[in-house]
Amino acid sequence: MAIRSILIHPDPRLRKPAASVEAVDDEIRALAGDMLATMYEAPGIGLAATQLGVMRQVFVMDCAAKDEPAQPMVLVNPEILWRSEETETNEEGCLSIPEVYEDVTRPARVRLRWMGLDGAAHEAEFGGRWAVCAQHEMDHLNGRLFIDYLSAVKRTMITSRMRKLKREKARV
Ligand code: K1U
Ligand code: ZN
Protein backbone atom coordinates (compact mmCIF):
# COMPACT_ATOMS: atom_id res chain seq x y z
CA MET A 1 0.00 0.00 0.00
CA ALA A 2 1.26 3.45 -0.90
CA ILE A 3 0.47 6.93 0.35
CA ARG A 4 -0.56 9.01 -2.67
CA SER A 5 -0.66 12.80 -2.88
CA ILE A 6 -4.02 14.53 -2.50
CA LEU A 7 -5.01 17.19 -5.05
CA ILE A 8 -5.59 20.66 -3.62
CA HIS A 9 -8.40 22.93 -4.85
CA PRO A 10 -8.47 24.56 -7.37
CA ASP A 11 -7.64 21.71 -9.74
CA PRO A 12 -9.69 20.83 -12.85
CA ARG A 13 -9.61 17.12 -11.91
CA LEU A 14 -11.62 17.89 -8.76
CA ARG A 15 -14.38 19.32 -10.99
CA LYS A 16 -14.81 16.35 -13.37
CA PRO A 17 -17.26 13.50 -12.76
CA ALA A 18 -15.68 10.07 -12.26
CA ALA A 19 -16.31 7.15 -14.63
CA SER A 20 -17.91 3.97 -13.37
CA VAL A 21 -15.81 0.89 -12.66
CA GLU A 22 -16.55 -2.10 -14.91
CA ALA A 23 -15.13 -4.80 -12.67
CA VAL A 24 -13.28 -5.05 -9.39
CA ASP A 25 -9.82 -6.20 -10.45
CA ASP A 26 -6.30 -6.01 -9.00
CA GLU A 27 -5.96 -2.37 -10.07
CA ILE A 28 -9.11 -1.37 -8.15
CA ARG A 29 -8.06 -3.44 -5.10
CA ALA A 30 -4.63 -1.73 -5.12
CA LEU A 31 -6.29 1.69 -5.54
CA ALA A 32 -8.62 0.99 -2.57
CA GLY A 33 -5.67 -0.06 -0.39
CA ASP A 34 -3.75 3.11 -1.30
CA MET A 35 -6.86 5.23 -0.68
CA LEU A 36 -7.37 3.82 2.83
CA ALA A 37 -3.67 4.24 3.67
CA THR A 38 -3.74 7.84 2.35
CA MET A 39 -6.96 8.64 4.26
CA TYR A 40 -5.65 7.29 7.60
CA GLU A 41 -2.31 9.04 7.13
CA ALA A 42 -3.86 12.46 6.29
CA PRO A 43 -5.76 11.94 8.70
CA GLY A 44 -9.31 11.96 7.40
CA ILE A 45 -12.59 10.08 7.67
CA GLY A 46 -13.20 9.77 3.91
CA LEU A 47 -11.47 10.04 0.54
CA ALA A 48 -12.68 9.89 -3.07
CA ALA A 49 -10.54 8.53 -5.93
CA THR A 50 -10.87 11.85 -7.78
CA GLN A 51 -8.96 13.56 -4.92
CA LEU A 52 -5.96 11.46 -6.03
CA GLY A 53 -6.55 12.35 -9.70
CA VAL A 54 -8.00 8.89 -10.40
CA MET A 55 -11.29 9.49 -12.25
CA ARG A 56 -13.08 6.32 -11.13
CA GLN A 57 -16.20 5.95 -8.98
CA VAL A 58 -14.58 4.73 -5.77
CA PHE A 59 -14.59 6.21 -2.28
CA VAL A 60 -13.43 5.02 1.11
CA MET A 61 -14.58 6.07 4.56
CA ASP A 62 -14.15 5.19 8.22
CA CYS A 63 -16.30 7.27 10.54
CA ALA A 64 -15.92 5.02 13.59
CA ALA A 65 -15.57 6.99 16.84
CA LYS A 66 -12.11 7.15 18.47
CA ASP A 67 -13.11 4.59 21.12
CA GLU A 68 -14.54 2.14 18.52
CA PRO A 69 -12.62 -0.36 16.39
CA ALA A 70 -11.73 0.83 12.87
CA GLN A 71 -14.51 0.30 10.31
CA PRO A 72 -12.91 0.84 6.89
CA MET A 73 -15.38 0.82 3.99
CA VAL A 74 -14.69 0.77 0.24
CA LEU A 75 -17.59 1.77 -2.03
CA VAL A 76 -17.32 1.17 -5.79
CA ASN A 77 -19.92 2.70 -8.16
CA PRO A 78 -21.93 4.12 -5.23
CA GLU A 79 -25.45 5.47 -5.85
CA ILE A 80 -27.77 7.34 -3.50
CA LEU A 81 -31.11 5.49 -3.57
CA TRP A 82 -32.91 7.61 -0.98
CA ARG A 83 -32.42 10.88 0.95
CA SER A 84 -34.39 11.78 4.10
CA GLU A 85 -36.58 14.90 4.07
CA GLU A 86 -35.10 15.78 7.44
CA THR A 87 -31.89 17.77 7.13
CA GLU A 88 -28.97 18.38 9.50
CA THR A 89 -26.28 21.04 9.57
CA ASN A 90 -22.75 19.86 10.34
CA GLU A 91 -19.28 21.33 10.12
CA GLU A 92 -17.37 19.81 7.19
CA GLY A 93 -13.74 19.80 6.19
CA CYS A 94 -12.02 18.51 3.06
CA LEU A 95 -8.56 17.08 2.53
CA SER A 96 -8.47 18.95 -0.81
CA ILE A 97 -9.25 22.27 0.97
CA PRO A 98 -6.99 22.09 4.05
CA GLU A 99 -7.75 24.01 7.24
CA VAL A 100 -11.20 25.20 6.08
CA TYR A 101 -14.22 24.11 8.12
CA GLU A 102 -17.72 25.36 7.30
CA ASP A 103 -21.32 24.40 8.10
CA VAL A 104 -23.21 22.51 5.39
CA THR A 105 -26.86 21.43 5.47
CA ARG A 106 -27.67 18.02 3.95
CA PRO A 107 -30.25 15.24 4.29
CA ALA A 108 -29.81 13.63 7.74
CA ARG A 109 -30.03 10.05 6.40
CA VAL A 110 -29.27 8.43 3.04
CA ARG A 111 -29.59 4.96 1.57
CA LEU A 112 -26.74 3.85 -0.71
CA ARG A 113 -26.13 0.97 -3.08
CA TRP A 114 -22.57 0.10 -4.10
CA MET A 115 -20.28 -2.69 -5.21
CA GLY A 116 -17.83 -4.01 -2.64
CA LEU A 117 -14.30 -5.27 -3.24
CA ASP A 118 -15.90 -8.74 -3.28
CA GLY A 119 -17.67 -7.67 -6.51
CA ALA A 120 -21.06 -8.08 -4.83
CA ALA A 121 -23.83 -5.46 -4.56
CA HIS A 122 -24.39 -3.95 -1.10
CA GLU A 123 -27.08 -1.62 0.26
CA ALA A 124 -27.26 0.23 3.58
CA GLU A 125 -28.79 3.26 5.25
CA PHE A 126 -26.40 5.75 6.86
CA GLY A 127 -27.02 8.40 9.52
CA GLY A 128 -24.89 10.76 11.63
CA ARG A 129 -21.27 11.29 10.57
CA TRP A 130 -21.49 8.35 8.12
CA ALA A 131 -24.30 10.09 6.20
CA VAL A 132 -22.43 13.42 6.11
CA CYS A 133 -19.22 11.77 4.91
CA ALA A 134 -20.95 9.54 2.32
CA GLN A 135 -22.70 12.58 0.77
CA HIS A 136 -19.47 14.62 0.80
CA GLU A 137 -17.65 11.77 -1.00
CA MET A 138 -20.52 11.25 -3.50
CA ASP A 139 -20.21 14.96 -4.31
CA HIS A 140 -16.48 14.51 -5.01
CA LEU A 141 -17.28 11.73 -7.50
CA ASN A 142 -19.62 14.17 -9.27
CA GLY A 143 -17.08 17.03 -9.34
CA ARG A 144 -18.76 18.94 -6.52
CA LEU A 145 -17.00 20.39 -3.44
CA PHE A 146 -18.48 21.34 -0.06
CA ILE A 147 -17.60 25.00 -0.71
CA ASP A 148 -20.22 24.94 -3.52
CA TYR A 149 -22.85 25.07 -0.73
CA LEU A 150 -21.40 28.37 0.58
CA SER A 151 -21.95 31.91 -0.70
CA ALA A 152 -20.02 32.98 -3.81
CA VAL A 153 -18.10 35.51 -1.70
CA LYS A 154 -16.95 32.85 0.80
CA ARG A 155 -16.09 30.43 -1.99
CA THR A 156 -13.95 33.05 -3.77
CA MET A 157 -12.12 33.90 -0.54
CA ILE A 158 -11.42 30.21 0.17
CA THR A 159 -10.25 29.62 -3.41
CA SER A 160 -7.82 32.58 -3.17
CA ARG A 161 -6.50 31.19 0.13
CA MET A 162 -5.91 27.78 -1.52
CA ARG A 163 -4.13 29.36 -4.53
CA LYS A 164 -1.81 31.13 -2.08
CA LEU A 165 -1.21 27.89 -0.13
CA LYS A 166 -0.33 26.08 -3.37
CA ARG A 167 2.10 28.87 -4.39
CA GLU A 168 3.79 28.69 -0.97
CA LYS A 169 4.02 24.87 -1.13
CA ALA A 170 5.53 25.06 -4.64
CA ARG A 171 8.26 27.42 -3.34
CA VAL A 172 9.49 24.97 -0.63
O1 K1U B 1 -13.27 13.85 1.40
C1 K1U B 1 -12.49 14.46 2.11
O2 K1U B 1 -11.98 15.50 1.75
C2 K1U B 1 -12.19 13.93 3.48
C3 K1U B 1 -12.95 14.66 4.57
C4 K1U B 1 -14.27 13.97 4.79
C5 K1U B 1 -15.30 14.72 5.56
C6 K1U B 1 -15.02 15.37 6.73
C7 K1U B 1 -16.01 16.05 7.44
C8 K1U B 1 -17.28 16.06 6.97
C9 K1U B 1 -17.56 15.42 5.79
C10 K1U B 1 -16.58 14.73 5.09
C11 K1U B 1 -12.11 14.62 5.84
O3 K1U B 1 -11.85 13.59 6.35
S1 K1U B 1 -11.57 16.15 6.48
C12 K1U B 1 -10.71 15.68 7.99
C13 K1U B 1 -11.63 15.30 9.09
O4 K1U B 1 -12.80 15.58 9.04
C14 K1U B 1 -11.09 14.60 10.28
C15 K1U B 1 -9.76 14.36 10.45
C16 K1U B 1 -9.31 13.69 11.56
C17 K1U B 1 -10.18 13.26 12.53
C18 K1U B 1 -11.52 13.51 12.38
C19 K1U B 1 -11.98 14.17 11.26
ZN1 ZN C 1 -13.50 16.46 0.48
Side-chain angles (χ1 to χ4, degrees):
M1 275 185 292
I3 308 295
R4 301 200 197 183
S5 51
I6 299 173
L7 299 177
I8 302 298
H9 166 74
D11 186 298
R13 290 166 286 182
L14 291 171
R15 290 312 198 168
K16 283 196 192 121
S20 65
V21 171
E22 276 174 23
V24 174
D25 54 16
D26 286 350
E27 190 189 326
I28 296 295
R29 277 187 283 272
L31 170 67
D34 289 357
M35 286 174 67
L36 283 168
T38 305
M39 178 190 80
Y40 286 125
E41 202 262 346
I45 57 170
L47 189 70
T50 50
Q51 292 179 275
L52 304 180
V54 178
M55 308 313 289
R56 310 300 294 277
Q57 288 179 19
V58 183
F59 79 77
V60 297
M61 63 176 170
D62 185 348
C63 302
K66 273 188 195 144
D67 57 350
E68 286 174 352
Q71 239 176 287
M73 293 192 71
V74 178
L75 295 88
V76 178
N77 295 342
E79 297 170 72
I80 298 184
L81 301 176
W82 170 83
R83 296 170 172 84
S84 65
E85 300 246 321
E86 185 202 346
T87 58
E88 247 183 34
T89 301
N90 289 282
E91 193 173 76
E92 296 192 20
C94 181
L95 296 175
S96 296
I97 310 175
E99 287 162 37
V100 174
Y101 297 92
E102 294 286 346
D103 279 352
V104 176
T105 303
R106 300 183 185 269
R109 301 191 66 81
V110 283
R111 185 161 193 87
L112 261 64
R113 177 165 54 212
W114 70 95
M115 186 162 62
L117 284 185
D118 54 2
H122 297 260
E123 246 187 68
E125 192 176 312
F126 295 94
R129 215 144 77 119
W130 291 92
V132 177
C133 188
Q135 292 176 82
H136 178 112
E137 303 310 331
M138 287 298 300
D139 275 352
H140 272 304
L141 297 183
N142 289 311
R144 197 172 168 92
L145 299 173
F146 84 104
I147 55 168
D148 298 345
Y149 296 92
L150 310 178
S151 70
V153 172
K154 256 193 176 169
R155 193 162 51 250
T156 303
M157 279 172 52
I158 292 167
T159 301
S160 307
R161 211 193 304 170
M162 292 300 116
R163 280 192 211 282
K164 190 167 168 241
L165 181 87
K166 289 213 287 190
R167 276 199 305 272
E168 284 165 2
K169 271 191 171 181
R171 250 188 263 130
V172 185

